[in-house]
Amino acid sequence: MLPRRPGRLMAAVLLCLLSVTAASTRVQADQPRPVLVLYSVGRLLPAILEFDRGFRQHSLVPDGQQVELYEEFLDAARFNGADYETALSDHLVRKYAQLRPDVVVVVGREALEFALRHRDRLPTGTPVVHAVVTLDDLARLGALPAGFIGVPTEDVFVPTVEQALRWHPEARRLVVVVATAVRRDRLWYERVMAEKARFEPRVTVEVLADLPTADVTARLRRLGNEAVVFTPGYHQDGAGAFMTPFASVQAMRAATRAPMYGAFSTYLEAGIVGGYWTDFESQGREAARAVTQLLAGAPPATVRLPASAPAAMHVDWRQLQRYGIHEAALPRGAVVHFREASLWERDRNKVLGALGIIALQAALIGGLLIERRRRRHAEVSVARSRNELAHASRLAVAGELAAALAHEINQPLGAILSNADTAELILESGVERPELLRQILADIRRDDVRASEVIKRLRTLLQKNEVERVPVVLDDIVTEVELVLRPEARRRGAQLVVWTPAERSTVLGDRIQIQQVLINLVLNAFDATADLPDSRRTVTITVQRHADDVSVDVRDHGPGISAVPVDKVFDSFFTTKRSGMGLGLSIARTIVEAHHGHIGVANAAEGGAVFTMVLPYAVLAPGTGRAA
Ligand code: ADP
């Protein structure tokens, strides 16, 4: 081990040795250029990894030369004192005796101080690049000797706290966690103590210095929104425990809900909101830039460097969300980390696809809704037309029945007239026959009722009342049809036979329209048998009950349906009659289907056509007689 101040002779020998070695390496241009990086701290700190990443990315040397990096660690937080430093310096001199570094990079204030103290042991003219040193550090160290260059960083404590207080206007307390046992922690403590007054009386400043970590976390745990925490982290706590500053910040963060701000980029990983700083990676890049120029042969005094590395506000996007800090409140040039990409940014194509599908679906649904409305309108107007058509068809039927009905009315009118004549004769004869007169008046009244019944039925058929959907007894409708058509049957010399079961059937619908269907079927049957002998002019209406529905057959003994297939007779305008319209059966089918039933036709084996109308039973609410 060499003494701290080696004897002159020994130093001269050493320097001489180093110079000779250096000269021999320089002449071999294809040899890698050695660069020694001396870190203030221990190995593997997150800050070092970041610095190293930036440094290596930019450590390019002109003319394709290679750089060989050598790293040394002072570990100044844990080891210090004159003996340690002397031993280390001796060790380094010996270690690098064969291999004179072309440039020495010192990272952090302690490494810079070490280099300053031991610069006489460096080969003459070796340039030193400092990094991770603040303007404040440089101010305390005084002017640097020739050959020492670097880009200092700005002071970050004040701007970070200023920004934090702007973002948390409700905060009444500023809690700063520091330590003093280790020198580099103490430097922070001194800076905080020097600057803290500027934040009062806006907030009460509480400096937690040198507390055991357990006490620090206990104190922080009690804080809420009323406080803002700032820490540069520490290497050794009040209980004497060493830790990385990152670990100290992690412990604090886990304990408190209050927003926390820090001094270094690495603390973002620990969960702080953010802070002003020059991140270690860009400091590494800056140092590499200086090294590159020196290796290219530029004398240190001519290397062009900025006066300081600007600090930028860095924030964790997730913490911004947590504390409700809007991005609009970020200062210019703020760097946002850990921003969760929005769905749009992450899956733009998928989102576009999904939006497209949604738009398509919306258009489709819109189209369907319009279509449905149109259909509703169409249905309503079809129903209206159907009813009007049905009414028109009933008028036609009424016209067809007019002759028979006129005859039907004529009969009671004739009887009334002759009864009146008889009564007059009795009165003129002067014979008192009150019994007979009473009998005659009763006959007149009965005939009058008969005539008015016929007119009533005709009127019913001609009515254009709105279509109803009410429970109606099908057997009653069949009976009414029989009464309406009996005169016509008589006029045509036909027989109308009606069979109804003992139990009556209720269906849901419109009495007049169902009547109309049956009248149509019977009149067609009369037509089909018009030219046949009397024996075949019988038309039978049969009502039959089934499990779910009730059917009405109208059968005749005519020639049967000649159309193929037989269902064709239900087509509109299909007719085989000279003056036929071909609408009766198509209207009948529409009416039956509107009643949720069906109608069909078949030719009977023994001749003639059988039309069958089937209607479902009305489902009645118990005890009400109304449709359920
Ligand atoms: P139209 O009576 O004006 O012809 P319809 O629609 O009532 O119109 O009848 C259509 C056609 O069905 C008739 O022209 C006839 O050819 C046939 N048809 C209807 N009923 C019978 C039946 N009972 N026997 C034979 N053919 C029938």
Side-chain angles (χ1 to χ4, degrees):
M1 204 180 278
L2 290 176
R4 198 173 167 212
R5 291 178 193 278
R8 269 195 193 157
L9 178 68
M10 195 148 184
V13 170
L14 235 174
L15 280 173
C16 184
L17 261 175
L18 283 173
S19 314
V20 169
T21 322
S24 64
T25 32
R26 274 213 191 89
V27 286
Q28 297 171 23
D30 54 339
Q31 287 291 306
R33 312 282 301 273
V35 171
L36 172 63
V37 186
L38 180 62
Y39 289 97
S40 300
V41 290
R43 236 177 124 60
L44 294 179
L45 283 184
I48 292 182
L49 298 177
E50 278 191 16
F51 180 89
D52 184 61
R53 189 162 54 233
F55 189 75
R56 282 173 194 272
Q57 268 171 15
H58 271 261
S59 212
L60 299 170
V61 182
D63 307 330
Q65 296 175 74
Q66 283 193 336
V67 168
E68 186 82 56
L69 281 183
Y70 298 89
E71 282 120 356
E72 297 295 338
F73 302 88
L74 279 187
D75 209 351
R78 287 183 290 190
F79 302 97
N80 43 56
D83 285 351
Y84 166 68
E85 226 182 274
T86 308
L88 188 68
S89 132
D90 291 346
H91 163 71
L92 293 177
V93 167
R94 278 192 188 158
K95 184 171 175 182
Y96 292 97
Q98 296 298 313
L99 191 135
R100 179 188 162 197
D102 283 356
V103 181
V104 173
V105 180
V106 287
V107 184
R109 177 174 167 153
E110 293 90 338
L112 173 58
E113 287 171 335
F114 179 85
L116 287 171
R117 277 196 293 274
H118 300 278
R119 66 178 185 277
D120 55 343
R121 302 190 73 184
L122 281 170
T124 321
T126 307
V128 175
V129 175
H130 65 77
V132 194
V133 173
T134 65
L135 282 168
D136 187 52
D137 291 333
L138 284 189
R140 285 162 190 255
L141 289 171
L144 294 180
F148 279 68
I149 58 170
V151 183
T153 57
E154 292 172 354
D155 177 41
V156 297
F157 172 57
V158 173
T160 300
V161 173
E162 289 285 2
Q163 183 59 67
L165 295 181
R166 273 198 292 278
W167 279 341
H168 306 280
E170 70 285 358
R172 294 285 158 262
R173 300 163 67 185
L174 169 65
V175 179
V176 184
V177 187
V178 280
T180 62
V182 170
R183 181 153 172 272
R184 54 187 5 242
D185 292 343
R186 194 163 55 251
L187 292 173
W188 265 105
Y189 169 78
E190 284 164 10
R191 190 171 309 157
V192 168
M193 295 313 278
E195 305 278 11
K196 77 184 183 92
R198 67 162 70 210
F199 304 118
E200 292 163 331
R202 259 182 300 168
V203 285
T204 323
V205 182
E206 298 160 45
V207 179
L208 305 185
D210 290 329
L211 291 180
T213 300
D215 291 356
V216 170
T217 52
R219 296 279 286 271
L220 294 187
R221 194 163 287 122
R222 291 200 288 270
L223 302 181
N225 277 350
E226 81 295 351
V228 166
V229 180
F230 176 87
T231 185
Y234 49 71
H235 294 76
Q236 190 181 13
D237 73 0
F242 280 106
M243 63 192 73
T244 62
F246 178 80
S248 73
V249 177
Q250 253 185 333
M252 293 178 222
R253 177 73 281 193
T256 189
R257 290 178 293 127
M260 262 183 76
Y261 290 79
F264 301 106
S265 54
T266 42
Y267 297 171
L268 279 179
E269 285 282 357
I272 62 166
V273 180
Y276 270 96
W277 55 68
T278 311
D279 63 83
F280 290 110
E281 195 172 322
S282 55
Q283 293 188 63
R285 275 199 299 271
E286 205 59 68
R289 239 175 248 134
V291 169
T292 310
Q293 293 184 54
L294 293 169
L295 290 177
T302 66
V303 172
R304 291 158 65 91
L305 294 173
S308 66
M313 186 72 197
H314 290 255
V315 284
D316 180 340
W317 184 83
R318 299 163 302 186
Q319 301 296 331
L320 294 185
Q321 309 304 306
R322 178 177 174 184
Y323 293 107
I325 301 167
H326 203 271
E327 279 194 51
L330 291 180
R332 273 170 73 91
V335 185
V336 182
H337 298 258
F338 308 118
R339 186 201 296 274
E340 277 164 26
S342 65
L343 190 64
W344 173 251
E345 288 161 341
R346 224 171 34 230
D347 288 317
R348 174 188 290 240
N349 284 346
K350 280 188 199 158
V351 170
L352 278 176
L355 283 177
I357 290 170
I358 289 170
L360 211 72
Q361 273 184 343
L364 217 69
I365 291 169
L368 286 174
L369 285 176
I370 292 172
E371 196 49 42
R372 198 174 74 162
R373 246 182 69 183
R374 278 205 196 126
R375 219 182 58 206
R376 283 245 175 92
H377 279 306
E379 275 171 6
V380 169
S381 85
V382 163
R384 194 178 301 128
S385 311
R386 185 180 59 215
N387 293 337
E388 275 165 8
L389 198 63
H391 182 246
S393 157
R394 282 203 300 278
L395 293 183
V397 168
E400 211 174 310
L401 297 178
L405 293 174
H407 178 72
E408 187 75 358
I409 294 165
N410 252 341
Q411 265 190 343
L413 288 182
I416 287 168
L417 190 62
S418 72
N419 270 324
D421 288 345
T422 312
E424 195 173 29
L425 284 175
I426 292 170
L427 289 174
E428 278 173 4
S429 69
V431 183
E432 285 212 4
R433 299 280 300 274
E435 264 315 300
L436 192 58
L437 284 175
R438 206 169 282 124
Q439 178 69 48
I440 287 169
L441 284 175
D443 283 354
I444 288 175
R445 190 171 293 116
R446 193 197 59 227
D447 287 333
D448 183 84
V449 168
R450 220 177 102 197
S452 70
E453 283 285 323
V454 175
I455 290 168
K456 214 161 87 189
R457 266 179 240 125
L458 184 65
R459 267 224 321 255
T460 307
L461 215 55
L462 297 177
Q463 256 172 21
K464 192 194 173 179
N465 49 355
E466 284 305 302
V467 180
E468 291 182 325
R469 286 200 45 88
V470 291
V472 283
V473 177
L474 188 61
D475 311 74
D476 291 349
I477 295 175
V478 171
T479 308
E480 278 164 23
V481 168
E482 185 193 1
L483 289 173
V484 171
L485 291 180
R486 199 161 292 287
E488 181 67 10
R490 247 196 316 271
R491 190 180 72 83
R492 296 191 185 215
Q495 292 284 324
L496 184 57
V497 180
V498 172
W499 295 103
T500 50
E503 199 181 338
R504 290 141 52 93
S505 307
T506 306
V507 297
L508 211 58
D510 187 88
R511 191 169 61 96
I512 297 168
Q513 285 200 337
I514 298 172
Q515 240 183 59
Q516 179 178 354
V517 172
L518 292 175
I519 290 172
N520 233 307
L521 296 179
V522 176
L523 287 180
N524 273 346
F526 285 162
D527 284 347
T529 53
D531 299 330
L532 300 178
D534 287 1
S535 60
R536 288 178 61 184
R537 283 198 222 151
T538 302
V539 175
T540 316
I541 305 178
T542 314
V543 179
Q544 278 177 292
R545 290 174 60 81
H546 310 282
D548 299 322
D549 44 35
V550 51
S551 65
V552 185
D553 285 351
V554 176
R555 82 157 294 188
D556 62 62
H557 301 276
I561 307 293
S562 54
V564 181
V566 287
D567 267 6
K568 238 176 125 83
V569 295
F570 292 103
D571 290 352
S572 304
F573 307 115
F574 176 87
T575 181
T576 55
K577 299 172 193 169
R578 200 178 300 155
S579 57
M581 292 260 291
L583 285 176
L585 287 179
S586 95
I587 292 171
R589 170 174 274 183
T590 322
I591 290 174
V592 174
E593 283 173 358
H595 283 76
H596 305 296
H598 54 93
I599 186 169
V601 65
N603 283 321
E606 59 278 21
V610 187
F611 282 84
T612 306
M613 170 178 77
V614 180
L615 295 175
Y617 293 121
V619 180
L620 300 180
T624 63
R626 288 163 190 268

